[in-house]
């Protein structure tokens, strides 16, 4: 991994995929390209991570899929967000906002004193 790439925490890929699909149906390669573009190349998702995540989310009912043709006319499986996936996205995004706020407080602390006993 290069300095410009970021290692994802467990479960992060799911919420990023859900967010991507909330903007419209995509096939796997398009999903990877979108994530790379949005993160300015800092996030590179390998097939070995992407497809197990897509299958896992499909089993949970968060996404659905259907066959279609990509922009290069290749037969591809297109993934779409379900209503349950939309609920999951909102829940996970809310959890991420809370986590970022908590970590920011820790990073911003200068002289945190332990609470009195």
């Amino acid at each position: 991994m290069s300095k410009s790439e970021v290692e994802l925490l467990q479960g992060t890929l799911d919420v990023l995929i859900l967010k991507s699909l909330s903007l419209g149906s995509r096939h796997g390669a398009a999903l990877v390209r979108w994530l790379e573009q949005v993160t300015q190349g800092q996030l590179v998702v390998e097939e070995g991570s992407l497809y197990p995540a897509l299958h896992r989310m499909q089993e949970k009912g968060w996404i659905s899929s259907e066959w279609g043709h990509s922009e290069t006319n290749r037969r591809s499986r297109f993934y779409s967000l379900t209503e349950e996936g939309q609920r999951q996205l909102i829940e996970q995004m809310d959890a991420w906002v809370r986590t970022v706020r908590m970590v920011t407080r820790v990073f911003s602390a200068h002289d945190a004193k332990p609470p009195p006993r």
Side-chain angles (χ1 to χ4, degrees), residues 40-55:
Q40 298 176 341
Q42 290 186 305
L43 177 61
V44 177
V45 180
E46 303 292 335
E47 283 186 24
S49 299
L50 176 68
Y51 290 102
L54 289 169
H55 294 295

Side-chain angles (χ1 to χ4, degrees), residues 2 4-6 33 35-44:
S2 73
S4 63
E5 293 176 1
V6 176
R33 275 195 311 271
L35 288 170
E36 285 182 27
Q37 288 171 348
V38 168
T39 64
Q40 298 176 341
Q42 290 186 305
L43 177 61
V44 177

Side-chain angles (χ1 to χ4, degrees), residues 40-107:
Q40 298 176 341
Q42 290 186 305
L43 177 61
V44 177
V45 180
E46 303 292 335
E47 283 186 24
S49 299
L50 176 68
Y51 290 102
L54 289 169
H55 294 295
R56 182 178 58 253
M57 289 189 286
Q58 192 163 7
E59 287 177 4
K60 291 180 178 183
W62 299 351
I63 63 174
S64 61
S65 67
E66 64 183 16
W67 288 101
H69 289 86
S70 70
E71 55 280 353
T72 60
N73 208 27
R74 286 187 65 196
R75 190 165 186 262
S76 301
R77 187 174 289 274
F78 283 76
Y79 298 91
S80 301
L81 197 62
T82 63
E83 285 185 31
E84 180 58 33
Q86 182 66 39
R87 284 191 287 277
Q88 189 65 31
L89 172 61
I90 291 166
E91 189 177 301
Q92 287 190 24
M93 285 176 48
D94 183 55
W96 263 106
V97 168
R98 289 191 315 271
T99 300
V100 167
R101 286 181 182 151
M102 173 194 63
V103 171
T104 300
R105 283 193 297 272
V106 171
F107 286 172

